[in-house]
């Protein structure tokens, strides 16, 4: 809870090696020249304050902080690319995220820590221009998402393990150099204007790759097949493209898959019943495609044991409701008991700009972070027919159920009354923590992703949560 400016005497401590002042209420202007006095400084962290960290017009091209290794200025306030790192040969970690930095990355930045930099986070800024090549050959962690970058995807170093450049204005196709990223385990290039096909050679990445997000681009063609020998994917999200079908059965080789989101494409196929063998699958979204025909559930005895979100709405499925599948979804029939820790679907592989969109009471909601106790089935906008079977009562812990806009007939079974978790009241909300607005996630070095939990409940609660998300105001 420290307040006010950073005292001037701090910059007189010439033997200081570590300066950590993050997560306070520090204010005022800090001139970057002041840090040049701290010749022994190795680590600096001013994150989460309200400072104005500004450069002077003096040229410090040859001035060194010879021991500087880590600089963390995330959510610091008003920040420019600090001059005191300009000639830092041994810098390893640099975090300038969420500072409203505008304009191009300065030319001198590409020479900082050329041989040593392993972590760079420039996300949540207003950076513009094109980045054609990432020069740091030993870079391990690179986050450029939520900027205004243009051009094609840059050529990246082979050592890269975490790469996120989503929510920019990138165009063009995926360069072939991407398929040489043998150590990549997080690859997020969603929310751009990328086009072309997703090449088959992407299967070369699935050994070690745990998260692949390509949603909300303009990719077309077929979904490439996965490796038949190994596949470590846990999250696969191709939502919101123009991908066609049929689905490659090799997806079933990804036995660790927890999240599969293929909604809002033009996939033309029958129901992929072979997915039921995936033991860890928790979220399956096939909504708004061209899936067709009856859902044959002759292999449904041990189907989808961990599935918590099942959304196949807005397709062309026909025939009876697939109740043999649904009644064997064991995770839909019990509630997890948590002590101090709340768990989420797909964690820790969760990103705020990559939400799951579900239809709740006629409105679409972006669910950024879904607790494992949130369980929903959406079969709406198909051509299912027949009666709603009595076995629906087995799904006693469902939070959301949507059978609307089908051809169902007969009576609503009285067993529907056993679905006591639908529209739960305020008392039940207080007894169980279903909403958490912010969490920190660490990877490589400290960095923040604002994530919103999702709570089941009344329409008022849903509406208020949506307003908070849009306006940022409670």
């Amino acid at each position: 809870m420290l307040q006010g400016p950073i005292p001037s005497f701090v910059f007189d401590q010439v033997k200081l090696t570590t300066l950590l002042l993050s997560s306070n209420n520090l204010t005022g202007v800090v001139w970057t020249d002041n840090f040049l006095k701290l010749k022994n400084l190795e680590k600096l962290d001013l994150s989460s304050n309200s400072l104005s960290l500004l450069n002077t017009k003096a040229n410090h091209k040859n001035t060194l902080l010879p021991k500087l290794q880590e600089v963390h200025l995330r959510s610091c306030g008003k920040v420019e690319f600090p001059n005191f790192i300009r000639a830092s040969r041994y810098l390893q970690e640099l975090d300038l995220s969420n500072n409203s930095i505008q304009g191009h990355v300065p030319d001198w930045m590409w020479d900082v820590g050329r041989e040593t930099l392993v972590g760079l986070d420039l996300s949540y800024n207003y950076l513009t221009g094109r980045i054609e090549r990432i020069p740091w050959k030993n870079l391990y962690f690179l986050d450029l998402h939520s900027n205004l970058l243009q051009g094609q995807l840059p050529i990246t170093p082979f050592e890269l393990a975490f790469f996120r450049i989503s929510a920019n204005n990138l165009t063009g196709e995926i360069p072939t150099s991407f398929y040489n990223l043998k150590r990549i385990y997080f690859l997020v290039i969603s929310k751009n204007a990328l086009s072309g096909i997703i090449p088959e050679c992407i299967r070369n990445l699935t050994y070690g790759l745990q998260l692949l997000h390509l949603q909300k681009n303009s990719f077309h063609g077929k979904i490439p097949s996965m490796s038949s020998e190994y596949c470590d994917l846990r999250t696969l999200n191709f939502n919101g493209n123009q991908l066609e079908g049929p689905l490659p059965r090799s997806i079933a080789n990804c036995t660790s898959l927890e999240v599969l989101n293929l909604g809002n494409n033009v996939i033309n196929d029958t129901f992929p019943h072979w997915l039921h063998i995936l033991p860890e699958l928790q979220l399956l979204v096939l909504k708004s495609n061209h899936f067709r025909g009856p859902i044959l559930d002759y292999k449904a005895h041990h189907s989808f044991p961990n599935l918590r979100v099942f959304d196949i709405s807005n397709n062309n499925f026909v025939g009876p409701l697939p109740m043999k599948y649904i009644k064997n979804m064991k995770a839909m029939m019990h509630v997890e008991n948590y002590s101090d820790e709340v768990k989420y679907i797909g964690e820790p592989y969760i990103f705020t700009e990559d939400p799951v969109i579900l239809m709740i009471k006629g409105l679409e909601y972006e669910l950024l972070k879904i607790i494992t106790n949130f369980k929903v089935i959406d079969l709406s906008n198909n051509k299912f027919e027949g009666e709603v079977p009595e076995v629906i009562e087995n799904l006693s812990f469902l939070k959301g159920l949507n059978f609307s806009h089908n051809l169902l007939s007969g009576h609503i079974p009285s067993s529907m009354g056993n679905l006591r978790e639908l529209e739960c009241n305020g008392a039940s909300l207080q007894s169980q923590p279903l909403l958490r607005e912010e969490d920190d996630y660490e990877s490589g070095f400290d960095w923040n992703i604002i994530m919103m939990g999702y709570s089941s409940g009344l329409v008022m609660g849903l509406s208020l949560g949506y307003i908070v998300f849009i306006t940022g105001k409670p």
Side-chain angles (χ1 to χ4, degrees):
M1 302 298 293
L2 296 177
Q3 300 179 2
I6 298 176
S8 58
F9 72 82
V10 170
F11 302 106
D12 296 328
Q13 312 306 312
V14 294
K15 294 185 179 181
L16 196 66
T17 61
T18 303
L19 178 57
L20 309 179
L21 298 174
S22 64
S23 300
N24 282 288
N25 295 321
L26 298 175
T27 57
V29 175
V30 180
W31 297 102
T32 59
D33 281 12
N34 290 326
F35 294 97
L36 295 175
K37 305 173 186 178
L38 306 177
K39 298 297 184 183
N40 291 294
L41 193 63
E42 298 176 3
K43 183 175 181 178
L44 172 67
D45 193 345
L46 304 179
S47 300
S48 300
N49 282 288
S50 298
L51 298 166
S52 294
L53 196 66
L54 305 177
N55 296 320
T56 64
K57 294 183 179 180
N59 186 355
H60 299 288
K61 182 176 181 180
N62 297 318
T63 305
L64 296 177
L65 291 179
K67 299 181 180 180
L68 192 61
Q69 298 178 20
E70 299 181 26
V71 176
H72 299 271
L73 304 176
R74 179 187 68 240
S75 304
C76 192
K78 182 179 180 181
V79 175
E80 300 175 344
F81 279 88
N83 271 336
F84 61 80
I85 69 169
R86 187 164 183 162
S88 298
R89 298 178 180 174
Y90 306 109
L91 194 67
Q92 297 178 13
E93 299 177 5
L94 176 61
D95 187 349
L96 300 177
S97 61
N98 196 27
N99 286 305
S100 300
I101 302 175
Q102 300 183 12
H104 290 60
V105 177
D107 292 340
W108 56 260
M109 182 63 213
W110 306 116
D111 291 321
V112 173
R114 180 70 73 97
E115 303 293 329
T116 58
L117 196 67
V118 296
L120 176 63
D121 193 342
L122 301 178
S123 61
Y124 288 113
N125 285 295
Y126 297 100
L127 297 175
T128 57
R130 301 169 182 263
I131 298 178
E132 296 181 357
R133 180 183 294 270
I134 306 298
W136 300 282
K137 65 179 183 180
N138 292 311
L139 198 64
Y140 180 86
F141 176 102
L142 177 60
D143 197 340
L144 300 173
H145 89 280
S146 295
N147 279 285
L148 301 172
L149 297 172
Q150 298 175 329
Q152 297 185 334
L153 286 164
I155 298 174
T156 52
F158 295 160
E159 297 296 316
L160 205 59
F162 180 109
F163 183 41
R164 184 161 62 147
I165 196 169
S166 50
N168 279 281
N169 298 320
L170 301 179
T171 56
E173 301 183 0
I174 300 177
T176 55
S177 62
F178 263 56
Y179 307 112
N180 294 319
L181 297 175
K182 300 302 183 183
R183 298 192 178 186
I184 194 77
Y185 67 92
F186 275 33
L187 181 56
V188 185
I189 57 177
S190 53
K191 279 193 173 180
N192 281 285
L194 299 169
S195 58
I197 64 171
I198 303 174
E200 285 287 336
C201 52
I202 202 169
R203 63 189 297 173
N204 297 335
L205 300 180
T206 55
Y207 179 67
L209 183 65
Q210 298 187 23
L211 180 143
L212 179 59
H213 282 191
L214 305 182
Q215 72 269 33
K216 292 191 176 180
N217 282 286
S218 296
F219 295 116
H220 64 270
K222 294 183 178 180
I223 295 176
S225 57
M226 303 297 158
S227 173
S228 59
E229 299 179 3
Y230 47 74
C231 179
D232 289 337
L233 278 173
R234 294 179 63 177
T235 296
L236 181 63
N237 193 335
F238 290 167
N239 189 299
N241 284 283
Q242 300 162 24
L243 298 173
E244 305 168 6
L247 291 183
R249 290 200 172 206
S250 57
I251 292 177
N253 297 332
C254 304
T255 55
S256 298
L257 199 63
E258 298 178 14
V259 173
L260 179 60
N261 189 343
L262 303 176
N264 297 287
N265 282 284
V266 289
I267 299 170
N268 191 342
D269 201 354
T270 56
F271 181 76
H273 61 85
W274 37 269
L275 288 175
H276 82 277
I277 66 173
L278 295 177
E280 305 298 329
L281 193 63
Q282 299 183 46
L283 183 147
L284 176 60
V285 175
L286 303 177
K287 64 177 291 186
S288 300
N289 277 284
H290 295 165
F291 286 98
R292 66 189 188 280
I295 298 183
L296 303 175
D297 47 14
Y298 54 89
K299 294 183 179 179
H301 298 298
H302 302 287
S303 59
F304 304 109
N306 279 304
L307 202 63
R308 289 162 168 82
V309 174
F310 182 48
D311 187 351
I312 59 172
S313 62
N314 198 26
N315 280 288
N316 295 309
F317 290 117
V318 300
L321 294 170
M323 293 310 299
K324 287 185 180 179
Y325 272 121
I326 292 174
K327 75 177 184 180
N328 283 290
M329 296 176 181
K330 303 301 181 184
M332 300 278 192
M333 303 175 193
H334 68 273
V335 62
E336 289 78 2
N337 294 317
Y338 300 120
S339 52
D340 297 327
E341 182 182 8
V342 177
K343 295 184 178 180
Y344 298 91
I345 292 177
E347 75 177 351
Y349 312 101
I350 305 170
F351 298 99
T352 51
E353 80 279 7
D354 303 325
V356 175
I357 299 176
L358 295 178
M359 183 71 71
I360 307 292
K361 297 184 77 70
L363 297 175
E364 285 191 339
Y365 290 90
E366 290 190 343
L367 310 185
L368 303 183
K369 196 174 185 186
I370 305 175
I371 194 173
T372 52
N373 269 350
F374 178 77
K375 295 159 186 179
V376 63
I377 293 175
D378 192 345
L379 309 183
S380 62
N381 284 288
N382 283 286
K383 296 178 182 177
F384 291 115
E385 56 189 35
E387 297 186 353
V388 178
E390 291 283 345
V391 294
I392 197 73
E393 67 179 340
N394 295 336
L395 307 175
S396 54
F397 291 100
L398 274 183
K399 306 293 184 182
L401 177 64
N402 193 347
F403 288 164
S404 66
H405 297 279
N406 281 289
L407 303 175
L408 302 178
S409 58
H411 297 284
I412 298 176
S414 60
S415 58
M416 279 276 193
N418 295 324
L419 304 183
R420 59 184 182 273
E421 292 297 319
L422 294 179
E423 299 280 331
C424 47
N425 58 29
S428 63
L429 286 177
Q430 294 174 4
S431 66
Q432 198 172 36
L434 294 180
L435 173 64
R436 293 172 70 179
E437 292 187 354
E438 183 173 329
D439 283 291
D440 293 340
Y441 175 71
E442 297 181 1
S443 178
F445 59 102
D446 293 342
W447 56 290
N448 245 357
I449 298 178
I450 304 302
M451 293 180 285
M452 181 180 290
Y454 179 79
S455 169
S456 62
L458 299 173
V459 177
M460 180 62 73
L462 291 170
S463 302
L464 290 175
Y466 183 73
I467 293 170
V468 170
F469 173 70
I470 293 296
T471 65
K473 297 179 181 179

